[in-house]
Amino acid sequence: MELKSETKEDLLLQSLTYFKKYGSKNVTMDDLASELAISKKTIYKYFSSKEELISECVDYLWIHFEQQTEEISKLKIDSLAKVILLYELGLQELRKTDSQFLYSLKRYYHQSMEKYNCFRTKLIFETLLGFLTEAKTKGFIRSEVNLNLFCELNLLDFDEKLYQFKLFERFENDEILDQLIKNRLRGIVKAEHQHLIDEI
């Protein structure tokens, strides 16, 4: 994987790709420089340490995901469909990421993991909760459902469950999406609106 240009953004993107594939702890700056066919001096031109590079990789990861999320939010479709599309996008991204990436953040790079958790919490309790609240306001979701509790119990640790139970090794994305997301939505959506989930 040779670096096409030596801009900071290109370096971030390629570094993130490498960290996602092998885990951040297992990759040294020497490994990264060798993989990208650049000198370590080039890396240190933009980043003072590996910790700083990893921290900015986490920023880059989520900013890119938020941009895609914004595109989904603009679509002229119902809000339940937006929830499912967002998780479909998440599955595609997480499948490209080795479980060691998240494990390494959690064990060795606590500040970056804290940042990752903040982004994830924002995604769940702002974006996804917003979609679900809109669906409830329109009468698609049963009135007695506590959406905050639903998000906390069913959506917050979605990524960790995928790795913990090695679901990517055993199931395709469509099946995971159906069992972990669509089935849970079916549990809170009114019977007359179940077709909104089934049609997606």
Side-chain angles (χ1 to χ4, degrees):
M1 179 173 64
E2 187 175 345
L3 190 63
K4 301 299 182 185
S5 69
E6 293 183 5
T7 67
K8 182 176 182 178
E9 183 174 359
D10 287 330
L11 181 53
L12 267 176
L13 177 59
Q14 297 292 71
S15 298
L16 177 60
T17 300
Y18 199 57
F19 286 141
K20 286 169 66 178
K21 187 174 181 181
Y22 297 107
S24 48
K25 179 63 177 176
N26 298 327
V27 177
T28 67
M29 294 297 248
D30 285 317
D31 293 333
L32 192 57
S34 176
E35 177 68 16
L36 300 181
I38 58 175
S39 67
K40 276 203 302 184
K41 184 178 179 181
T42 300
I43 300 175
Y44 285 117
K45 174 182 174 183
Y46 297 110
F47 309 101
S48 62
S49 65
K50 182 180 175 184
E51 287 76 11
E52 182 182 345
L53 173 57
I54 290 170
S55 177
E56 292 206 32
C57 280
V58 171
D59 286 339
Y60 188 92
L61 171 71
W62 280 104
I63 289 169
H64 177 66
F65 193 80
E66 285 178 341
Q67 289 170 345
Q68 294 175 291
T69 299
E70 185 63 26
E71 292 302 312
I72 291 174
S73 69
K74 293 176 182 176
L75 295 174
K76 303 298 183 184
I77 56 177
D78 71 77
S79 49
L80 290 174
K82 291 177 183 179
V83 171
I84 293 170
L85 283 179
L86 187 54
Y87 271 94
E88 190 172 43
L89 172 64
L91 280 169
Q92 291 168 5
E93 292 300 317
L94 288 167
R95 187 175 281 276
K96 300 174 193 173
T97 306
D98 189 273
S99 61
Q100 284 299 313
F101 176 71
L102 199 57
Y103 175 78
S104 296
L105 290 183
K106 186 180 293 187
R107 184 162 184 183
Y108 302 106
Y109 301 100
H110 300 133
Q111 288 184 335
S112 291
M113 188 64 202
E114 185 176 331
K115 187 181 291 189
Y116 180 95
N117 284 333
C118 285
F119 279 121
R120 178 171 59 183
T121 299
K122 179 182 176 185
L123 175 70
I124 300 298
F125 292 105
E126 289 185 21
T127 305
L128 281 167
L129 182 58
F131 292 157
L132 291 171
T133 300
E134 181 183 336
K136 189 174 182 180
T137 301
K138 290 182 177 180
F140 299 151
I141 293 175
R142 300 197 314 274
S143 60
E144 74 274 13
V145 173
N146 182 327
L147 291 177
N148 277 282
L149 183 58
F150 176 82
C151 286
E152 189 159 345
L153 291 175
N154 296 290
L155 306 180
L156 189 56
D157 60 349
F158 175 78
D159 50 353
E160 295 187 40
K161 286 177 180 173
L162 292 171
Y163 297 131
Q164 179 184 355
F165 299 110
K166 300 181 179 180
L167 298 184
F168 284 133
E169 297 176 17
R170 297 181 289 134
F171 305 103
E172 296 300 319
N173 284 6
D174 287 346
E175 190 171 3
I176 295 171
L177 186 68
D178 191 63
Q179 295 298 317
L180 287 184
I181 300 302
K182 289 186 178 182
N183 270 352
R184 293 177 184 190
L185 289 174
R186 289 182 183 107
I188 64 173
V189 170
K190 293 178 181 178
E192 62 267 31
H193 298 299
Q194 291 286 323
H195 67 278
L196 294 174
I197 298 170
D198 298 332
E199 291 168 0
I200 301 168

